[in-house]
Amino acid sequence: MRFYLTTHKRHWVKLTDVPLFLKSEHFVEAVKLPEALGPYAVDSGGFWELQKNGRWTRSPRQYVGDLRRIWEHVGPFDWAAPQDWMCEPLIIHGGKAGPNVFAGTGLSVAEHQRRTVANYVELRSLAPELPIIPVLQGWELQDYERCVELYDRAGIDLTAEPLVGLGSVCRRQSTREGAEIVTALAAHGIKLHGFGFKTLGLEKVGHLMATADSLAWSYHARKRPPMPDHTHKNCANCIEYALKWRERVLGGLPPQDGVPA
């Protein structure tokens, strides 16, 4: 399994050759783009868009333009996420979770799925040369099965795709429900990418996925003192901490030197 470190620090692409996962807007904001030293993938930033606005504010053409600029200046990426529509209840209905406010889309899970598939079809038409992957969205297992059918009706065989993202599972990845969804979709022969997977989720279903990404290292670091000889308040934005955390996760080793697995 290829395991991507998620980060908002775009300059990391020139500092390490381990796989990185970054939001497209972190590159879009830059006047000068760094050239990537190793593999990386691009997130569309959909969760933030829908949380804040309850809709997408960038058109598919704008997004494709952003991806082409990233491809040209940073280097070819492994893949990019589409402008999909997450199906978490807070995304749909709105509300608060701690300090985070969700605008709410006011739409149904079925409509989110329809828009997700339609967006992928449009992006593929606009930029057939770019490796944009389809994403499965839903909430219950039957929702995801229905989403597979929607892609099939659109002429897209997900089992033939090199990678398919799995959305709206990251917050319940280590639960029995999350494991059932991953297991059922993998049984179709779909090569899955797990968005935002943490160590417990990887332990349960990591063997069923082709790739995954995680920002868990930053959350861990934020709640802990900095590593020895580090002068910052914590290591939540520290590449050394992130790389050591990744080594621990992939090696299955216990926590050491303040870097939890």
Side-chain angles (χ1 to χ4, degrees):
M1 182 184 69
R2 172 162 281 190
F3 186 48
Y4 295 84
L5 272 178
T6 303
T7 177
H8 65 281
K9 299 292 186 180
R10 61 176 175 262
H11 71 282
W12 284 17
V13 298
K14 66 180 182 180
L15 300 181
T16 179
D17 61 357
V18 306
L20 298 176
F21 191 49
L22 303 102
K23 291 181 181 179
S24 60
E25 61 261 36
H26 293 148
F27 291 115
V28 172
E29 295 166 354
V31 175
K32 185 176 181 181
L33 294 174
E35 186 174 347
L37 183 63
Y40 73 104
V42 181
D43 184 20
S44 61
F47 190 89
W48 183 87
E49 279 265 19
L50 297 185
Q51 176 191 337
K52 181 181 178 182
N53 305 302
R55 63 185 179 88
W56 277 93
T57 60
R58 282 184 294 170
S59 71
R61 286 190 179 277
Q62 286 177 308
Y63 182 50
V64 163
D66 294 339
L67 291 179
R68 284 179 172 144
R69 178 172 178 257
I70 294 168
W71 182 279
E72 178 183 357
H73 295 283
V74 182
F77 41 78
D78 287 350
W79 52 270
Q83 295 171 292
D84 53 328
W85 291 67
M86 295 87 243
C87 293
E88 286 95 334
L90 276 170
I91 289 287
I92 289 177
H93 303 296
K96 291 188 68 176
N100 299 312
V101 178
F102 292 75
T105 66
L107 304 172
S108 65
V109 169
E111 179 60 18
H112 277 222
Q113 293 175 310
R114 188 196 69 78
R115 294 187 181 200
T116 293
V117 175
N119 175 262
Y120 175 70
V121 171
E122 183 174 4
L123 291 175
R124 191 171 70 167
S125 175
L126 289 171
E129 81 282 6
L130 293 177
I132 301 171
I133 68 169
V135 169
L136 286 165
Q137 285 292 352
W139 190 247
E140 306 290 346
L141 175 57
Q142 57 265 34
D143 297 330
Y144 289 94
E145 298 284 5
R146 182 174 64 236
C147 198
V148 173
E149 293 176 4
L150 287 175
Y151 277 107
D152 188 59
R153 290 176 199 165
I156 299 160
D157 178 6
L158 294 182
T159 64
E161 295 294 322
L163 195 65
V164 177
L166 179 59
S168 303
V169 174
C170 67
R171 285 167 179 74
R172 50 200 176 126
Q173 61 192 260
S174 61
T175 66
R176 184 176 64 181
E177 180 185 29
E180 287 175 351
I181 291 170
V182 173
T183 302
L185 295 175
H188 283 286
I190 299 172
K191 294 173 280 293
L192 297 169
H193 172 81
F195 289 106
F197 265 62
K198 299 180 178 64
T199 52
L200 289 177
L202 291 171
E203 287 173 4
K204 283 184 179 251
V205 294
H207 63 289
L208 298 175
M209 295 186 296
T211 64
D213 72 85
S214 183
L215 186 63
W217 65 270
S218 185
Y219 296 120
H220 281 294
R222 190 172 293 115
K223 298 178 180 179
R224 290 165 171 78
M227 294 175 65
D229 299 324
H230 286 216
T231 57
H232 32 240
K233 180 180 178 181
N234 58 54
C235 290
N237 297 301
C238 174
I239 189 170
E240 184 180 351
Y241 187 101
L243 293 175
K244 287 192 174 183
W245 180 89
R246 181 179 182 272
E247 289 176 4
R248 299 290 175 197
V249 171
L250 294 181
L253 299 177
Q256 186 173 317
D257 297 330
V259 183

